[in-house]
Amino acid sequence: METLSHKIDFALVLAVDHANPNGDPLNGNRPRENYDGRGEISDVCLKRKIRNRMMDLGQPVFVQSDDRCQDGFHSLLERAKSNEVLAKTKDKEIYAAEACRTWLDVRSFGQVFAFKGSDVSVGVRGPLSIHPAFSVDPVDITSLQITKSVNSSNVGSENKKASDTMGTKHRVDFGLYVTYGSINCQLAEKTGFSDDDAAVVKEALLTLFENDASSARPEGSMEVVKLIWWQHNCKSGQYSSAKVHRCLKVESKVQSPHSIDDYSISVRELEGLAPEVLDGR
């Protein structure tokens, strides 16, 4: 199969409505925000969601979360050893080639194969890179005190509440987030990433929050608003990714935006590079 034939840049506009898009475990799981008060969704979080969608679309994925594990292996080492070629070879090039051939996320994002007690340490650099997502405007975060109706442990009294019945829940009231990414042809040649793989990534981005609902992200509270997809006419790209990404303009039309309708989204065209603007599903 031929590898990626044209460089690709993309931008993704996401809406958050009374949800926690990405909690910070070092800050009581409050939604992430920078020093300017703008909301943030880490690139690691976005990659996790993309991997989950790849799995939903029937693609083999190496880095699976425990709650979405599909093959019964609960560690990366077990999953790697389940492959006969990886279990036997000590050749780094063969190891990397087999890992890329087997798992879509490896040939997309890359992966470091360095396990304790293993004779092989292999690093794969992937062609797909994605930025953290930041909100266009500062976000308001609401914190709610919650209680459980049933004690989790026996505290010696029927009427006494245990300490673990109390908790806190955080949410972003509303925020419009933007992230950018790129797929590099030169790195795609090394991992075997193809045009068909790019089509899977495109579908994953368009449906990023499908099957992603939770108590922190109720169904409908997270939405893909727009996916802007630029396909260059050559492998090296007609323009730099930075210049292409600046073509997207997302601006608030009111002082305190509370919905998607309070924003204007426009994409400036560069000569010879027409963007494909797609609505989220």
Side-chain angles (χ1 to χ4, degrees):
M1 182 182 293
E2 293 186 1
T3 58
L4 189 68
S5 57
H6 302 81
K7 179 185 176 182
I8 293 171
D9 285 298
F10 62 86
L12 195 64
V13 183
L14 313 169
V16 178
D17 188 2
H18 292 88
N20 187 346
N22 184 200
D24 184 352
L26 298 180
N27 192 24
N29 208 43
R30 283 174 56 85
R32 296 178 188 270
E33 58 181 333
N34 62 18
Y35 289 110
D36 296 328
R38 298 178 188 271
E40 178 179 357
I41 304 174
S42 72
D43 58 321
V44 175
C45 175
L46 294 171
K47 288 177 182 178
R48 176 71 269 156
K49 295 181 188 303
I50 293 171
R51 283 186 168 100
N52 287 347
R53 291 299 297 137
M54 287 177 173
M55 293 166 64
D56 292 339
L57 295 169
Q59 299 295 324
V61 166
F62 180 66
V63 182
Q64 302 179 22
S65 58
D66 286 343
D67 61 337
R68 294 288 297 269
C69 181
Q70 294 183 339
D71 54 15
F73 301 111
H74 295 289
S75 74
L76 298 182
L77 177 58
E78 289 180 17
R79 188 166 294 117
K81 284 187 173 181
S82 70
N83 183 291
E84 292 184 3
V85 175
L86 302 188
K88 295 177 180 179
T89 188
K90 294 183 180 180
D91 186 292
K92 292 186 177 183
E93 291 187 3
I94 294 176
Y95 197 105
E98 177 64 15
C100 289
R101 184 195 66 80
T102 305
W103 295 291
L104 175 56
D105 62 328
V106 175
R107 63 178 180 270
S108 300
F109 300 120
Q111 182 66 35
V112 176
F113 296 88
F115 306 113
K116 187 176 182 180
S118 175
D119 296 329
V120 181
S121 179
V122 178
V124 177
R125 188 179 173 195
L128 174 57
S129 61
I130 189 166
H131 299 205
F134 293 96
S135 64
V136 179
D137 294 296
V139 295
D140 291 326
I141 297 176
T142 298
S143 297
L144 304 174
Q145 200 73 22
I146 58 174
T147 61
K148 290 186 291 185
S149 60
V150 178
N151 287 330
S152 297
S153 57
N154 183 8
V155 294
S157 172
E158 294 181 1
N159 299 319
K160 186 177 180 182
K161 291 286 187 180
S163 59
D164 63 356
T165 62
M166 302 296 293
T168 307
K169 190 173 183 179
H170 313 281
R171 72 187 184 207
V172 170
D173 292 340
F174 179 80
L176 197 68
Y177 292 65
V178 180
T179 184
Y180 302 93
S182 182
I183 311 178
N184 179 286
C185 287
Q186 283 68 37
L187 293 174
E189 291 176 357
K190 295 182 178 181
T191 67
F193 187 94
S194 67
D195 289 323
D196 289 341
D197 293 333
V200 174
V201 171
K202 187 178 184 179
E203 178 67 18
L205 291 169
L206 275 171
T207 58
L208 192 63
F209 302 115
E210 195 168 304
N211 301 326
D212 188 56
S214 69
S215 62
R217 300 181 301 279
E219 197 76 64
S221 63
M222 302 282 293
E223 179 184 2
V224 174
V225 180
K226 296 284 183 184
L227 171 64
I228 300 90
W229 192 264
W230 292 273
Q231 180 170 293
H232 296 250
N233 63 11
C234 59
K235 287 191 173 184
S236 60
Q238 297 147 264
Y239 304 93
S240 70
S241 294
K243 188 170 185 177
V244 173
H245 294 162
R246 285 198 298 271
C247 292
L248 172 64
K249 296 293 182 185
V250 182
E251 299 175 313
S252 55
K253 297 184 289 186
V254 298
Q255 186 173 0
S256 299
H258 292 95
S259 72
I260 298 171
D261 296 332
D262 293 334
Y263 286 89
S264 65
I265 302 172
S266 61
V267 184
R268 176 173 56 88
E269 287 195 20
L270 294 170
E271 185 177 353
L273 184 62
E276 184 180 5
V277 182
L278 302 165
D279 292 327
R281 298 176 191 164

